């Protein structure tokens, strides 16, 4: 509700090994946006720098979520670098909802490996996709 259009940008991060492919992540996020009737949300992929994506799509603000102090330190560093790359694009931080503050992709992958993923950790369509890939979770 803060923006006329909100891009959820899915990018490749060479430092991470995602559970789902880029295309699968885009599909899952698109389903979530449609389910919640978020007509102003566009799910897209970025092949390079996030600020280049923002510039090419007329975005003036990057929105980043902060779960804890570790996220804040990392995101401040990223925001500073993005400002160097394009001083006309700002970054704002929004705190994660308290009930999601402990959720990370690493934690989710570990729970999946252990065969246990409590309800509410991931959206229902993501849970179904995990179950389809790994078998039934408890």
């Amino acid at each position: 509700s803060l923006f006329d259009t909100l891009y959820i940008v899915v990018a490749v991060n060479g430092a991470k090994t995602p559970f789902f492919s880029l295309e699968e992540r885009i599909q899952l996020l698109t389903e979530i946006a449609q389910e919640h009737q978020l007509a102003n949300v566009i799910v897209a992929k970025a092949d390079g720098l996030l600020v280049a994506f923002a510039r090419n799509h007329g975005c003036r603000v990057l929105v980043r979520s902060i779960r804890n102090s570790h996220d804040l330190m990392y995101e401040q560093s990223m925001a500073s670098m993005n400002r160097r790359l394009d001083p006309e694009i700002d970054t704002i931080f929004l705190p994660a909802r308290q009930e999601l503050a402990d959720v990370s992709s690493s934690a989710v992958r570990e729970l999946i490996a252990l065969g246990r993923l409590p309800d509410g950790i991931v959206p229902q369509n993501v849970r179904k996709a995990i179950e389809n890939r790994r078998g039934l979770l408890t």
Side-chain angles (χ1 to χ4, degrees):
S1 62
L2 294 175
F3 302 97
D4 293 334
T5 303
L6 178 71
Y7 288 92
I8 297 176
V9 181
V10 181
V12 174
N13 181 342
K16 293 186 177 183
T17 305
F19 187 81
F20 294 112
S21 71
L22 186 70
E23 293 76 20
E24 289 170 319
R25 288 181 283 158
I26 290 170
Q27 178 62 38
L28 290 166
L29 288 164
T30 300
E31 290 171 6
I32 293 166
Q34 290 171 348
E35 177 186 330
H36 292 281
Q37 300 177 347
L38 302 173
N40 67 327
V41 171
I42 299 169
V43 181
K45 74 174 184 174
D47 293 323
L49 292 171
L50 185 57
V51 290
F53 177 94
R55 189 180 323 111
N56 292 337
H57 289 81
C59 303
R60 301 290 310 258
V61 178
L62 302 177
V63 179
R64 304 293 295 189
S65 179
I66 302 292
R67 294 172 297 180
N68 52 46
S69 60
H70 298 289
D71 279 358
L72 180 60
M73 291 175 61
Y74 173 78
E75 293 296 345
Q76 283 179 322
S77 175
M78 292 299 297
S80 178
M81 184 56 69
N82 286 334
R83 167 88 35 175
R84 286 177 183 266
L85 294 169
D86 193 326
E88 295 188 16
I89 297 176
D90 290 315
T91 300
I92 63 171
F93 303 126
L94 295 176
R97 290 183 301 187
Q98 187 61 39
E99 66 269 19
L100 298 175
D102 61 337
V103 177
S104 69
S105 59
S106 299
V108 169
R109 281 193 301 277
E110 187 172 339
L111 289 167
I112 292 167
L114 296 170
R116 177 119 169 97
L117 187 62
D119 289 336
I121 299 275
V122 298
Q124 196 59 35
N125 70 324
V126 174
R127 184 180 183 85
K128 287 180 184 176
I130 293 167
E131 289 172 349
N132 289 340
R133 170 128 348 134
R134 289 285 186 155
L136 187 62
L137 295 169
T138 57

